[in-house]
Structure formats: C-alpha cells, structure tokens
Amino acid sequence: MTDFTPAYDETASDTAGTSSLRHDRFMRLPEVLAKCGFSRTGLYDAMRLRGFPTSIHLGPRNVAWLESEVLAWMQQCIAQRQA
C-alpha cells in the first residue's frame, strides 16, 4: 500500500486565504493506467462518467494528470467502499 501525501499544505495560506500548493507532479498516461488499473478506454470513460480527474493539456499531443488529484480520487473510491 502506498502512502498518500496531500498536495496541499493546510498550514500554509496565501493572501486570499486558500491553501498553497506544496508539491505536485505530472503523470503521463501509461503511469496513470498502471496506477489505477484502467484500460485507456476505461480511463476516459471514468473521466466522463465517474468523476476521475481530467487531464491537463501540455501541448498539441501531450496531456498529463496531477498526481495529487489521481491519488485523491483513489482515496475517495476506497473511502466509499469502506463506508
């Protein structure tokens, strides 16, 4: 089991009072598929139907997902199962 580290430091706030980004990284498609166990089609269906985080466009043919959003979605699925 991997340790979940939130991407936002709740103790640090900017002038607007929102949490500031502590650290995060981009995950490319193969890594997201391996981490979540989806097929390519299943991933895009989950984005459309089940609230999976949407990809970020980095270039004309280049997309990625924020690791913190993917991990948070996975934790939410686990929490719903245990409820």
Side-chain angles (χ1 to χ4, degrees):
M1 185 163 103
T2 58
D3 185 30
F4 175 71
T5 305
Y8 293 95
D9 183 358
E10 295 176 3
T11 61
S13 295
D14 59 16
T15 56
T18 59
S19 297
S20 61
L21 185 65
R22 184 171 61 184
H23 65 84
D24 213 340
R25 71 181 196 88
F26 291 123
M27 295 173 64
R28 299 294 303 275
L29 180 62
E31 185 178 3
V32 174
L33 296 178
K35 174 84 75 185
C36 298
F38 284 126
S39 66
R40 183 186 203 108
T41 302
L43 173 70
Y44 286 103
D45 285 345
M47 285 172 54
R48 191 168 38 88
L49 301 171
R50 296 192 294 173
F52 191 82
T54 56
S55 58
I56 298 169
H57 294 272
L58 302 176
R61 295 181 56 177
N62 192 0
V63 298
W65 287 259
L66 285 176
E67 181 179 39
S68 63
E69 293 178 354
V70 173
L71 294 175
W73 183 85
M74 292 173 67
Q75 290 296 320
Q76 181 182 6
C77 289
I78 293 167
Q80 287 175 352
R81 185 184 105 187
Q82 294 173 348

